[in-house]
Amino acid sequence: MATYVTLVNYTKQGITNIKESPARLDAAKEAFKAFGAEMKQFYLAMGRYDMVLVSEAPNDEAVAKASLAIGSRGAVKTETFRVFNEDEYRDIISALP
């Protein structure tokens, strides 16, 4: 499975209803599962982003669907990107001409 990092910021709606955030996190985990992915780690963050998620999915489409489903609820905005672990990194580099 591929690994993804999602950077999350609360919207005005999300921060206004911050007490609902734990329930929204549970719903987000279920959204990932519904598309064949899994949220592996969650972090509350300080700085430019409010939260950081690490997930695994069989393909980009699964994570795109989960991110869109979560974002469509209006409480957060997301930015997701694929990351490669050390073994994948070494394979990529060794395949270069």
Side-chain angles (χ1 to χ4, degrees), residues 18 26 50 64 70 77-78 88:
I18 193 66
D26 294 338
D50 297 318
I70 292 163
K77 294 184 294 183
T78 64
E88 292 167 322

Side-chain angles (χ1 to χ4, degrees), residues 4 8 15 50 55 74:
Y4 299 83
V8 183
I15 198 68
D50 297 318
S55 60

Side-chain angles (χ1 to χ4, degrees), residues 3 82-94:
T3 303
R82 169 83 159 88
V83 295
F84 299 88
N85 66 31
E86 183 178 345
D87 290 338
E88 292 167 322
Y89 155 79
R90 290 182 183 280
D91 287 344
I92 290 167
I93 299 302
S94 69

Side-chain angles (χ1 to χ4, degrees), residues 7-86:
L7 305 174
V8 183
N9 279 314
Y10 289 113
T11 63
K12 183 177 179 179
Q13 173 188 332
I15 198 68
T16 299
N17 299 308
I18 193 66
K19 291 280 202 169
E20 297 170 5
S21 187
R24 291 192 304 255
L25 174 59
D26 294 338
K29 289 179 181 182
E30 290 303 315
F32 273 90
K33 285 182 186 176
F35 296 109
E38 181 181 2
M39 187 185 303
K40 302 297 275 186
Q41 297 174 320
F42 165 86
Y43 299 96
L44 179 66
M46 298 188 315
R48 183 175 175 179
Y49 297 98
D50 297 318
M51 293 167 278
V52 177
L53 312 176
V54 179
S55 60
E56 289 183 351
N59 53 51
D60 294 347
E61 290 81 8
V63 171
K65 290 173 185 175
S67 294
L68 289 168
I70 292 163
S72 71
R73 296 176 182 151
V76 296
K77 294 184 294 183
T78 64
E79 179 181 345
T80 302
F81 50 94
R82 169 83 159 88
V83 295
F84 299 88
N85 66 31
E86 183 178 345

